[in-house]
Amino acid sequence: MMYQTLEIERAGRIATIWMNRPAVFNAFDEQLIAELATACRELDADASVRVVVLGGRGKHFSAGADLNWMKRAAQFTPEQNLDDARKFANMLRTLAQMSKPTIARVQGAALGGGTGLTAACDMAIADTTAAFSTSEVKFGIIPSAISPYVLRAIGPRHALRYFQSAERISAERALAIGLVGEVVAPEALDAAVAQLAETLLQGGPQAQKAAKDLIAAVDGQKIDEIISEETARRIARQRATDEAKDGIAAFLDKRPPAWLA
């Protein structure tokens, strides 16, 4: 598919989705939201892609909502307003629920929805110029659509502060509260993302999907007989797959597994 606001770059089994509106700091509008959702679905369905990286062209990852989009939204009917909000929420969910590993590559501003995109990816690496904010209360709104992913990343205690204060969060602070997993110098950002992506390629793709599903099923659950049974059933199912059988045999035979062939 041809995109107007994105570029898709492929390097072997790694695909990078580049938000490509640098003149407006990769701010969201209706088209970027729609194209991001489509790109995520396209790459998730492509078996040749094993890892997806999300980045922004130019100096900034994403400055959040486009001002012209916000002006248009202010004139929406209630029905149009809800439909527009659903499209943004569904795009974030499409990204978060991809069956393969996702990495946010973050530099410069990652504000509002940019913070949400960072959190919706499975993991994030930022450079030292990165700055985050759930700045919505400054505009009299709330970070609702991004909240499930930001809460998952930083927890409710930090969210209570930043959702209400709208403070800028430095890269170092983002690392401390769990919003990103690594902070590097700007000149080292691409190498750090590439290294993590290459590490992810070593795992079995079916096992990685099952691992994501496992976290979703287990997180927040009481550790009792029900959850113990659930985890036992999940590992039993996974051990019975052809991928697992080959992975174990490859280890014993001192050869690469089939997914690395």
Side-chain angles (χ1 to χ4, degrees), residues 2-77:
M2 296 296 294
Y3 295 100
Q4 299 300 311
T5 65
L6 304 177
E7 289 179 359
I8 308 297
E9 182 180 34
R10 296 169 185 261
R13 292 172 291 177
I14 301 166
T16 300
I17 303 172
W18 290 104
M19 293 178 283
N20 192 31
R21 302 184 75 213
V24 292
F25 305 156
N26 298 311
F28 296 122
D29 63 5
E30 303 96 325
Q31 187 170 15
L32 178 57
I33 290 167
E35 290 189 358
L36 264 175
T38 299
C40 289
R41 288 191 292 267
E42 175 188 311
L43 294 174
D44 209 31
D46 187 342
S48 70
V49 174
R50 289 285 319 282
V51 177
V52 175
V53 177
L54 178 63
R57 293 292 193 196
K59 295 182 178 180
H60 302 283
F61 178 71
S62 175
D66 184 284
L67 291 177
N68 289 320
W69 175 45
M70 292 178 71
K71 288 178 183 178
R72 289 192 295 274
Q75 304 303 316
F76 285 166
T77 66

Side-chain angles (χ1 to χ4, degrees), residues 212-229:
K212 292 179 74 165
D213 293 342
L214 173 67
I215 293 166
V218 171
D219 183 47
Q221 299 298 311
K222 179 182 178 182
I223 302 175
D224 56 14
E225 185 177 348
I226 294 173
I227 202 67
S228 293
E229 178 66 15

Side-chain angles (χ1 to χ4, degrees), residues 180-197:
V180 303
E182 189 175 351
V183 174
V184 298
E187 63 272 18
L189 181 58
D190 285 325
V193 170
Q195 182 177 20
L196 178 55

Side-chain angles (χ1 to χ4, degrees), residues 33 69 76 78-92 144-145:
I33 290 167
W69 175 45
F76 285 166
E79 293 77 14
Q80 290 172 323
N81 186 19
L82 180 56
D83 181 64
D84 186 69
R86 281 174 173 157
K87 288 175 180 176
F88 182 49
N90 289 339
M91 178 272 287
L92 289 168
S144 189

Side-chain angles (χ1 to χ4, degrees), residues 147-212:
S147 63
Y149 316 103
V150 179
L151 277 164
R152 179 180 67 178
I154 70 174
R157 187 63 171 171
H158 292 305
L160 281 166
R161 173 173 174 169
Y162 293 111
F163 282 18
Q164 296 181 90
S165 71
E167 295 167 87
R168 287 293 179 99
I169 303 168
S170 68
E172 291 75 15
R173 181 62 178 160
L175 177 64
I177 65 177
L179 184 57
V180 303
E182 189 175 351
V183 174
V184 298
E187 63 272 18
L189 181 58
D190 285 325
V193 170
Q195 182 177 20
L196 178 55
E198 287 294 331
T199 299
L200 289 164
L201 290 177
Q202 305 307 305
Q206 293 177 32
Q208 287 172 333
K209 180 182 184 305
K212 292 179 74 165

